[in-house]
Amino acid sequence: MKPSFPFYYPFLVSSCLVFPFSFLLRGEREAISSFPSYFLFSSLCAEAMATGQLFSRTTQALFYNYKQLPIQRMLDFDFLCGRETPSVAGIINPGAEGFQKLFFGQEEIAIPVHSTIEAACAAHPTADVFINFASFRSAAASSMSALKQPTIRVVAIIAEGVPESDTKQLIAYARSNNKVVIGPATVGGIQAGAFKIGDTAGTIDNIVQCKLYRPGSVGFVSKSGGMSNEMYNTIARVTDGIYEGIAIGGDVFPGSTLSDHILRFNNIPQIKMMVVLGELGGRDEYSLVEALKQGKVNKPVVAWVSGTCARLFKSEVQFGHAGAKSGGEMESAQAKNQALKEAGAVVPTSYEAFEDAIKETFEKLVEEGKITPVKEVKPPQIPEDLNSAIKSGKVRAPTHIISTISDDRGEEPCYAGVPMSSIVEQGFGVGDVISLLWFKRSLPRYCTKFIEICIMLCADHGPCVSGAHNTIVTARAGKDLVSSLVSGLLTIGPRFGGAIDDAARYFKDAYDRGLTPYEFVESMKKKGIRVPGIGHRIKRGDNRDKRVELLQLFARTNFPSVKYMEYAVQVETYTLSKANNLVLNVDGAIGSLFLDLLAGSGMFTKQEIDEIIEIGYLNGLFVLARSIGLIGHTFDQKRLKQPLYRHPWEDVLYTK
């Protein structure tokens, strides 16, 4: 027994555009085919769809799942249109961070790469379009994540084959939150002279031929991306070109409908006429029929529904798109074309006559004075890449270095964006400069003061340590300053001055895992690893290193937290119970206190702290500091005119 109207009515009204025809049997489809079409696919558009333009010349997008060619095509289109800023603000590549080098005209630019959608949206709050090039397996999840970001207004889903249940959830969420979904299974959309999504309109040559580098007077919407490219060319031949074109996608449940965009075009003053290319299957076109009948569209609409050849086949035919499959007479191309014609749209007798219908409508509007054809402009020449042309003035050569810490272009150098004059005028010290060049931010004064204290305390430790000894020997051999300095620096490593990073790494790991000093020390012993930052050849428990005491005093007085330092002190207490020389040395003090600086300042994320330790920033402090002393020893030997050093025989054990 077929369900009666009262059974379906509440669901039809509440579901709006997402009534699941594909889940109905043929008989059930026919049972409801007599209902008014707006019950099935009524275009209850959200405000974002009703207000008009989706894009502008300042629109910026976030691009999900890096694809070089679509992004470069977007940037080339930007340049062609004379945009001042690139339309791609950032790239989201899960698990990756950094920059991607691309071209913006002749100039090479670095576009930031973010590992998460949330991070990208936070970094680029003005980017309100999300272009999703994820596969059909992950497109729904990433699109929903983007829709939930307050900065994202439009989501374009390129992938085909997104599960219909997932698509329905995306549509429902988007409409309830006043957002727009284009796709799935779409090439995207374009606003001529302003913004385009991914591969929309194809190559630059096609874009130029279709006059898409400047706005025209026609609004175009289609289900098919491939046919959109064809229609852009057709429209450009017989009109002044399109103002905006959208391919809603060929899946059964598109995120936005033909009528959504026609109603939107109707509210854009620059659009004087609309062109629609539908296809057999589904009932989307009937929502446009209802809009025309109800007088919601007051601009000429030229429409054609493709798929009239389906009647030539004896059985039901599935065309290229998932939604291009007739589920009954009302879903046939002939029925839709007839309904559109009766509602007031200009419908030709065939696709071949479509171009003439568009031309006649446009020319009529020109005669009536409703359209003043756009004056043609000559677009700029897009430089060719190296692999396609090696000609003077047409070649773009990639850069070989990326720098984010300083910039010497312009009137004065900048450190992390801070002009040199500002650094001097504000009385910045060496610690401030290090914070800008090493950490790319201005740290609080107590942090930069701590850095300066570390440099002062570690600048030199006498002529007998290995680094100073090597420098002295090299200087006495008549070598230059750089050679003498480098010979000393090359001794820095795990056994001399290079234990700061290891001390920080092991103390942090032990503290974060909640290990007691006993558990930490004994676990290191079992691994055969000496605890970095513990132990001294001269200092003892009753003769502490004055440098360590000074650092600890400064930190306890100025740092908001010294949890890592206190943990290191507890470890020292335990190691001193084993041997009197197992004291916390200057490496361990700096390593633990730098952890407190990074964690306590509130200016670094956990990931940044781990990266700083891994890269070797803390050992960099020792290298920088000890360079001062090594340079001093070089000058000292040369000033004293010391001869070539030869090690005395009596200090060598000769043995077999």
Side-chain angles (χ1 to χ4, degrees):
M1 180 177 178
K2 294 185 176 70
S4 61
F5 175 80
F7 175 82
Y8 277 97
Y9 178 74
F11 179 64
L12 296 174
V13 173
S14 64
S15 63
C16 296
L17 290 169
V18 293
F19 187 82
F21 279 100
S22 60
F23 300 150
L24 299 179
L25 300 174
R26 172 62 64 82
E28 292 171 326
R29 294 182 187 174
E30 294 172 351
I32 62 172
S33 64
S34 61
F35 297 169
S37 60
Y38 55 85
F39 282 148
L40 303 179
F41 285 95
S42 59
S43 186
L44 301 180
C45 300
E47 291 179 14
M49 291 299 293
T51 52
Q53 294 193 176
L54 293 181
F55 315 120
S56 71
R57 286 177 61 85
T58 59
T59 296
Q60 286 194 299
L62 297 175
F63 195 103
Y64 187 88
N65 197 21
Y66 176 70
K67 296 286 187 293
Q68 190 271 339
L69 184 57
I71 297 178
Q72 188 58 65
R73 283 180 169 177
M74 290 179 67
L75 297 175
D76 285 345
F77 177 76
D78 296 341
F79 180 76
L80 199 68
C81 299
R83 281 184 55 132
E84 295 182 359
T85 56
S87 60
V88 181
I91 298 166
I92 304 164
N93 229 22
E97 292 184 343
F99 295 89
Q100 279 291 348
K101 297 193 296 180
L102 293 138
F103 283 106
F104 185 60
Q106 189 72 42
E107 179 186 2
E108 193 174 33
I109 60 174
I111 297 182
V113 177
H114 306 276
S115 60
T116 66
I117 294 172
E118 293 76 11
C121 291
H124 311 284
T126 59
D128 58 3
V129 177
F130 183 84
I131 302 173
N132 195 344
F133 266 74
S135 71
F136 70 91
R137 299 176 184 86
S138 60
S142 49
S143 295
M144 181 61 79
S145 178
L147 286 170
K148 290 181 178 180
Q149 303 305 311
T151 56
I152 297 299
R153 185 174 50 88
V154 179
V155 172
I157 308 171
I158 310 302
E160 295 184 56
V162 177
E164 293 177 1
S165 58
D166 292 339
T167 302
K168 293 175 191 176
Q169 293 179 20
L170 292 172
I171 295 170
Y173 186 89
R175 289 185 175 269
S176 63
N177 288 273
N178 192 28
K179 299 192 177 189
V180 178
V181 174
I182 301 173
T186 181
V187 72
I190 185 169
Q191 183 173 319
F195 177 84
K196 90 179 187 87
I197 295 172
D199 289 316
T200 301
T203 65
I204 287 296
D205 289 341
N206 190 63
I207 287 172
V208 171
Q209 190 172 2
C210 296
K211 304 175 183 177
L212 296 172
Y213 49 83
R214 64 12 168 215
S217 305
V218 181
F220 172 76
V221 62
S222 168
K223 290 185 176 180
S224 169
M227 287 303 298
S228 292
N229 288 350
E230 179 67 26
M231 288 303 301
Y232 295 150
N233 191 282
T234 298
I235 293 170
R237 285 199 303 266
V238 296
T239 73
D240 62 357
I242 72 157
Y243 183 83
E244 182 179 329
I246 296 288
I248 66 171
D251 278 1
V252 177
F253 300 109
S256 54
T257 67
L258 298 173
S259 60
D260 286 338
H261 294 285
I262 289 298
L263 290 171
R264 187 168 60 79
F265 292 163
N266 196 63
N267 292 329
I268 299 176
Q270 296 92 329
I271 292 178
K272 307 300 182 182
M273 62 176 284
M274 283 90 86
V275 176
V276 180
L277 180 62
E279 64 186 23
L280 82 165
R283 306 283 178 104
D284 192 3
E285 289 80 1
Y286 288 106
S287 59
L288 176 55
V289 170
E290 292 301 324
L292 289 167
K293 287 181 177 179
Q294 294 171 13
K296 294 181 179 179
V297 180
N298 53 29
K299 298 176 182 178
V301 176
V302 184
W304 177 253
V305 179
S306 59
T308 54
C309 65
R311 285 185 176 178
L312 300 176
F313 298 93
K314 294 181 180 180
S315 60
E316 190 171 69
V317 178
Q318 172 72 60
F319 288 82
H321 293 153
K325 180 178 180 180
S326 179
E329 177 58 29
M330 285 192 70
E331 295 185 20
S332 69
Q334 285 84 349
K336 292 181 180 182
N337 280 324
Q338 185 61 33
L340 285 165
K341 185 174 183 179
E342 292 174 356
V346 177
V347 180
T349 57
S350 65
Y351 179 79
E352 287 73 17
F354 200 16
E355 181 174 337
D356 288 338
I358 296 170
K359 179 180 180 181
E360 291 170 5
T361 303
F362 178 79
E363 289 178 347
K364 182 179 179 182
L365 291 171
V366 173
E367 290 176 4
E368 294 173 350
K370 295 180 180 179
I371 291 181
T372 301
V374 177
K375 293 182 179 180
E376 193 51 66
V377 296
K378 185 178 181 180
Q381 179 71 37
I382 299 292
E384 297 180 30
D385 293 328
L386 284 171
N387 60 356
S388 62
I390 307 178
K391 296 180 180 178
S392 177
K394 295 183 178 180
V395 173
R396 304 189 288 198
T399 59
H400 300 288
I401 295 175
I402 297 178
S403 175
T404 64
I405 64 170
S406 63
D407 190 343
D408 59 346
R409 298 169 299 177
E411 295 183 1
E412 59 178 317
C414 293
Y415 293 167
V418 180
M420 187 66 66
S421 57
S422 296
I423 293 174
V424 175
E425 290 166 2
Q426 295 180 38
F428 282 13
V430 172
D432 299 289
V433 172
I434 291 174
S435 75
L436 291 173
L437 292 177
W438 289 18
F439 303 102
K440 295 173 60 176
R441 66 203 74 187
S442 292
L443 296 176
R445 181 55 190 155
Y446 75 86
C447 295
T448 58
K449 181 64 176 177
F450 175 76
I451 292 173
E452 291 170 358
I453 291 174
C454 290
I455 292 173
M456 290 187 290
L457 295 180
C458 296
D460 190 52
H461 203 212
C464 297
V465 294
S466 57
H469 178 81
N470 263 26
T471 291
I472 290 171
V473 170
T474 306
R476 290 178 62 168
K479 300 293 288 186
D480 59 277
L481 170 63
V482 174
S483 300
S484 301
L485 170 63
V486 170
S487 69
L489 291 177
L490 288 174
T491 65
I492 296 176
R495 297 181 180 179
F496 170 62
I500 301 177
D501 280 317
D502 283 338
R505 190 177 297 112
Y506 282 110
F507 282 142
K508 183 178 187 301
D509 178 70
Y511 179 87
D512 291 350
R513 289 195 293 138
L515 298 181
T516 64
Y518 168 81
E519 292 171 335
F520 170 48
V521 174
E522 295 304 320
S523 67
M524 295 287 283
K525 182 179 179 182
K526 289 180 181 178
K527 296 175 185 176
I529 303 174
R530 294 181 178 180
V531 179
I534 294 291
H536 203 284
R537 293 193 62 182
I538 299 174
K539 298 300 179 181
R540 298 290 186 270
D542 54 356
N543 179 28
R544 302 294 179 90
D545 191 332
K546 188 65 176 178
R547 297 175 298 173
V548 173
E549 294 178 343
L550 290 170
L551 290 170
Q552 291 175 334
L553 176 62
F554 179 85
R556 287 193 173 102
T557 305
N558 296 279
F559 281 25
S561 170
V562 288
K563 60 182 183 181
Y564 289 107
M565 185 200 76
E566 295 296 353
Y567 183 77
V569 171
Q570 293 173 24
V571 171
E572 179 194 47
T573 301
Y574 177 75
T575 56
L576 282 173
S577 68
K578 291 178 170 293
N580 198 33
N581 70 325
L582 296 181
V583 294
L584 183 67
N585 59 38
V586 71
D587 290 348
I590 293 176
S592 60
L593 285 171
F594 227 99
L595 289 173
D596 288 323
L597 182 152
L598 297 171
S601 67
M603 300 185 70
F604 300 89
T605 65
K606 181 182 182 301
Q607 180 181 351
E608 288 175 325
I609 293 173
D610 291 338
E611 187 178 54
I612 287 169
I613 296 170
E614 186 63 32
I615 289 176
Y617 277 48
L618 308 191
N619 278 350
L621 269 182
F622 185 86
V623 171
L624 175 63
R626 191 50 57 95
S627 293
I628 299 172
L630 297 180
I631 291 172
H633 284 294
T634 301
F635 292 154
D636 190 43
Q637 296 302 308
K638 290 184 176 296
R639 184 173 56 252
L640 295 171
K641 297 180 174 59
Q642 290 296 291
L644 178 69
Y645 175 83
R646 179 180 175 86
H647 204 72
W649 291 338
E650 58 266 29
D651 195 37
V652 178
L653 174 62
Y654 295 93
T655 184
K656 294 183 179 179

